[in-house]
Amino acid sequence: MELTTIWFLLVAVLFTGYFVLEGFDFGVGMLLPVLGRDDRERRVLINTIGPVWDGNEVWLITAGGAMFAAFPEWYATLFSGFYLPLLLILLALIARGVAFEYRHKRPEAAWKRRWDRAIFWGSAVPAVLWGVAFANILRGVPLSADHEYAGGLLDLLHPYALLGGVTTLGLFLTHGAVFLALKTAGDIRERAGALAVKLGVGTAVVAVVFLAWTLSIRSSAAAVVLAVGAALALLAGVAAARVRREGWAFTGTAVAIALAVATLFAALFPNVLPSTLDAAGTLTATNAASTPYTLKIMTWVAVVFTPIVLAYQGWTYWVFRKRIGVQNIPQH
């Protein structure tokens, strides 16, 4: 297997891990005003992701770094053409991170409400815009023969891209609700489980339409198999949530997100950013890649450090694996 193919797969794996792990973070943030009826319940919700949310974002940083080093042409064209959406995602993530750290600094209810809104919008904006961005990556954008973006913001907001945003929004909401049902106890658990089923049914419909539209644009045998697997995993997760098997439900939604992201990358390959203007402008895993020597060095670095990072993050989830409820939150 060529190194360009290996690094395309590694970038796909990194983004898949990011969406699976950060997906429930986003879901919890968006559900904060829905499931958190008072301050103690909202603190329960935030504490379910408190130990892991920043570690989950490392997957995005690593994916961006891998893209920059392995496919600099892809990175440059993507970040120039998608400048405004990616800037909005960055600002939302910054606001969200600050909100997690500053919400508890003062006891006033108005102070906490402001940071709660920051958590909500800091989760909702990336949840939508990531779907819009990846839908555009798969469909293609107007690129010149020199691989320069030749469109504007409105070129990124077509119906397929907007449906992609709605799909990721629904997937992350469902994933977050299932995660809360898995990690909380008492009344919050009951409400989160019931909401997960309702969200999951609607999300399944939207996701099937989006995946079918995706396969009508670009497809491969592997993409079809992965898309079918994603749909079945989501339905299985919803069914498990309905009978209160939260562990299996979370596995189902996690696998559904992973297979959905894999579907997009499988349908995209060997391209990394198709051009809708000129076929000569299409970026592929070959013409967008770094030199073979660079890829070789990066491969050895990945072989050494990836298991260490995975082991550390796995240990973090194991340490903070238990459920929490309002009984674990002291009153102020």
Side-chain angles (χ1 to χ4, degrees):
M1 184 181 293
E2 296 181 356
L3 286 177
T4 53
T5 303
I6 291 174
W7 275 97
F8 179 88
L9 291 174
L10 286 175
V11 169
V13 168
L14 289 169
F15 272 111
T16 299
Y18 172 68
F19 287 130
V20 169
L21 297 176
E22 191 79 329
F24 66 75
D25 278 1
F26 290 150
V28 172
M30 290 185 286
L31 293 173
L32 189 64
V34 178
L35 293 175
R37 293 178 174 174
D38 55 37
D39 182 61
R40 290 183 75 192
E41 289 192 349
R42 286 189 285 274
R43 287 163 63 194
V44 169
L45 268 59
I46 292 172
N47 284 349
T48 61
I49 59 175
V52 297
W53 70 266
D54 48 355
N56 293 342
E57 290 189 352
V58 171
W59 287 78
L60 175 61
I61 297 170
T62 308
M67 185 185 291
F68 171 77
F71 302 102
E73 192 83 21
W74 185 16
Y75 179 93
T77 303
L78 185 67
F79 275 72
S80 60
F82 291 39
Y83 179 81
L84 184 56
L86 293 177
L87 176 62
L88 290 175
I89 289 173
L90 177 61
L91 293 175
L93 292 177
I94 291 173
R96 180 170 166 267
V98 172
F100 283 136
E101 298 299 328
Y102 275 79
R103 184 186 187 277
H104 68 282
K105 297 295 185 181
R106 289 169 57 179
E108 294 88 348
W111 170 269
K112 293 183 178 181
R113 281 197 300 271
R114 282 194 290 270
W115 291 118
D116 288 345
R117 285 194 289 269
I119 292 172
F120 174 82
W121 289 110
S123 301
V125 169
V128 173
L129 290 183
W130 277 124
V132 172
F134 270 83
N136 276 289
I137 291 173
L138 185 130
R139 177 179 178 269
V141 294
L143 298 178
S144 68
D146 296 326
H147 309 310
E148 294 183 359
Y149 183 70
L153 177 62
L154 294 180
D155 293 305
L156 303 177
L157 300 178
H158 46 83
Y160 173 67
L162 295 176
L163 181 61
V166 174
T167 301
T168 50
L169 178 69
L171 285 172
F172 294 162
L173 279 168
T174 304
H175 198 36
V178 170
F179 177 78
L180 288 172
L182 176 67
K183 284 288 292 178
T184 59
D187 190 45
I188 300 177
R189 175 188 178 187
E190 299 296 330
R191 285 185 273 125
L195 183 59
V197 175
K198 296 176 183 177
L199 289 169
V201 172
T203 298
V205 175
V206 175
V208 167
V209 174
F210 175 71
L211 290 173
W213 196 344
T214 297
L215 296 176
S216 71
I217 296 173
R218 302 186 194 280
S219 184
S220 66
V224 172
V225 172
L226 291 168
V228 172
L232 293 177
L234 181 57
L235 293 174
V238 174
R242 191 171 183 273
V243 295
R244 296 186 57 182
R245 299 294 299 272
E246 289 98 346
W248 285 110
F250 183 75
T251 300
T253 55
V255 171
I257 293 174
L259 293 181
V261 177
T263 299
L264 299 181
F265 278 97
L268 182 64
F269 188 78
N271 299 325
V272 294
L273 191 60
S275 172
T276 58
L277 291 181
D278 186 349
T282 294
L283 289 171
T284 67
T286 301
N287 66 17
S290 293
T291 64
Y293 182 73
T294 300
L295 295 177
K296 185 176 180 180
I297 295 297
M298 289 174 58
T299 302
W300 282 110
V301 172
V303 167
V304 172
F305 288 101
T306 300
I308 298 174
V309 174
L310 291 176
Y312 172 77
Q313 192 160 31
W315 175 79
T316 303
Y317 276 94
W318 175 256
V319 170
F320 296 101
R321 66 189 182 278
K322 293 185 178 180
R323 295 180 184 269
I324 62 172
V326 291
Q327 70 275 8
N328 304 112
I329 305 297
Q331 288 184 340
H332 288 321

